[in-house]
Amino acid sequence: MAKKALIIGIDDYTSAPLNGCVNDAISVSELLGTNGNGSPNFDVSLKLNVKTKAEMLSLLNALFKGDSDIALLYFSGHGSEYGGGHLVTPDHNGYDLGVSMNDILGMANRSKCKNVIVILDCCFAGNLGESFTTQGTESHLGEGVTIMTASPRDDVAIEYDGQGVFTGLLIQGLRGGASDITGRITPASLYSFIDQSLGEWEPRPIFKTNISRFLPIRTIEPQVSKATLRKLSKYFPNKSDELVLDPSFEFTNDPTIDHEVVEPYALEKNVNIFKDLQLFESVGLIEPVGEDHMYFAAMHSKSCKLTSLGLHYWRLSNDKRF
């Protein structure tokens, strides 16, 4: 899969310097460059303290050119609400503040890249996607375009201890906080992670998209391997089934171990199945029936069943989707 990312961080503004944008950009670029297992991910172009509007426009044109599977822009710096919103460049002069969000939207919408993702950690970033010429607040996104911003159209982004609050959460999400059980991190899961982490008194992040299917922007080591997840439909042939357990599933129920044991004694086949079941329980895919813990469900010959989340992954397993 062809994936390229332009990461821009600007601290060096003459009139109002910032402190954490360069460091934020470096951190994001390092995470996007590789997946959690060290395999290559995005081909990253990291540009720090871009000096001029002309330079930034040139970088943006290069990013949106071509037909990559994903083209991703991350910007951390000053933003302005004037004229429908701008990413401010250090050479701003009067009303010429930098690159307008309307121009960025046009480039993103015209791009032949299959997926375009724009992530902005700046003030008034929520203007991106809205039409300045019509003065409307409705979004005008081309097919395949996704926008995630640190703040609404009329609010500022905030920093804490030299790091953007939004980017701090973005980094946590990319490290794994926003992953699903299979280790996939998508724009939607990132936004959900950030949104749930912020309180009502903090600037609300904005998420806009016109896409039918999200591609992962990073993967980490899965909580449960796909090989193990595929066993869900084997252990539970029907989604409403309960898997009946007995003491033979518990490896400590072994007569060679000095404690009270009961028949049937531990069987290697059942013990191996039980290890999978306990892993499924640890990530919320199954739950014991009539007991608080899987151990007691086995020792008391009870059963286990799929949870609502487990039912989702059961369908994927049953339909051979992974």
Side-chain angles (χ1 to χ4, degrees):
M1 185 181 297
K3 300 160 70 174
K4 59 180 176 178
L6 172 62
I7 312 297
I8 298 175
I10 303 177
D11 283 339
D12 291 347
Y13 293 95
T14 302
S15 57
L18 295 170
N19 297 315
C21 298
V22 165
N23 287 336
D24 282 351
I26 292 171
S27 296
V28 171
S29 70
E30 289 174 348
L31 284 168
L32 289 180
T34 59
N35 293 303
N37 62 2
S39 64
N41 189 24
F42 279 88
D43 185 354
V44 175
S45 176
L46 174 63
K47 300 297 181 181
L48 304 177
N49 292 316
V50 173
K51 301 297 183 185
T52 66
K53 172 183 176 180
E55 182 184 357
M56 188 180 292
L57 282 171
S58 176
L59 292 169
L60 292 171
N61 277 307
L63 171 68
F64 295 127
K65 185 179 179 181
D67 59 354
S68 298
D69 293 294
I70 302 178
L72 184 149
L73 168 66
Y74 168 87
F75 172 83
S76 181
H78 274 307
S80 168
E81 62 181 334
Y82 172 76
H86 285 76
L87 303 188
V88 179
T89 51
D91 66 338
H92 63 87
N93 183 20
Y95 292 115
D96 187 6
L97 296 172
V99 179
S100 78
M101 294 188 188
N102 208 43
D103 285 345
I104 295 172
L105 177 64
M107 285 187 278
N109 284 348
R110 291 190 299 270
S111 175
K112 290 185 171 67
C113 295
K114 299 176 182 64
N115 288 265
V116 173
I117 301 168
V118 180
I119 303 173
L120 303 181
D121 190 353
C122 62
C123 298
F124 314 110
N127 278 293
L128 183 61
E130 298 174 4
S131 174
F132 171 61
T133 57
T134 63
Q135 299 294 314
T137 58
E138 68 276 9
S139 295
H140 302 266
L141 303 186
E143 184 176 355
V145 176
T146 296
I147 293 169
M148 194 185 319
T149 70
S151 60
R153 65 195 302 271
D154 56 355
D155 207 347
V156 298
I158 56 176
E159 288 187 354
Y160 181 76
D161 285 344
Q163 182 177 66
V165 170
F166 171 83
T167 292
L169 293 171
L170 179 76
I171 289 169
Q172 290 179 35
L174 288 171
R175 284 175 176 160
S179 74
D180 66 9
I181 288 173
T182 65
R184 297 170 76 254
I185 300 169
T186 68
S189 68
L190 266 177
Y191 173 76
S192 178
F193 175 81
I194 294 169
D195 178 61
Q196 292 175 30
S197 301
L198 292 170
E200 291 302 316
W201 293 95
E202 297 168 293
R204 303 309 305 168
I206 299 296
F207 185 73
K208 308 174 185 180
T209 190
N210 179 14
I211 196 167
S212 58
R213 181 171 178 261
F214 284 115
L215 297 175
I217 60 175
R218 191 169 194 258
T219 61
I220 64 165
E221 290 296 323
Q223 296 171 276
V224 182
S225 71
K226 291 181 179 179
T228 301
L229 281 173
R230 292 186 188 106
K231 298 178 184 178
L232 268 177
S233 57
K234 175 184 176 183
Y235 297 152
F236 299 89
N238 299 296
K239 60 185 180 182
S240 59
D241 285 347
E242 292 185 9
L243 177 57
V244 178
L245 305 171
D246 62 47
S248 71
F249 285 79
E250 174 53 47
F251 79 96
T252 62
N253 186 45
D254 188 322
T256 64
I257 298 176
D258 187 20
H259 71 285
E260 183 181 0
V261 295
V262 296
E263 294 185 4
Y265 301 138
L267 296 175
E268 183 177 2
K269 174 185 175 182
N270 287 347
V271 167
N272 290 334
I273 292 174
F274 199 55
K275 289 178 181 178
D276 290 340
L277 295 175
Q278 289 176 309
L279 180 58
F280 290 152
E281 184 201 22
S282 72
V283 295
L285 299 183
I286 68 169
E287 60 187 0
V289 177
E291 296 286 354
D292 292 332
H293 303 286
M294 290 290 288
Y295 169 83
F296 294 113
M299 295 303 291
H300 298 159
S301 296
K302 298 292 183 66
S303 61
C304 60
K305 65 179 182 178
L306 294 165
T307 63
S308 296
L309 180 62
L311 182 58
H312 167 68
Y313 283 95
W314 178 89
R315 290 194 185 100
L316 297 179
S317 170
N318 193 56
D319 295 341
K320 296 179 172 56
R321 297 286 295 278
F322 47 66

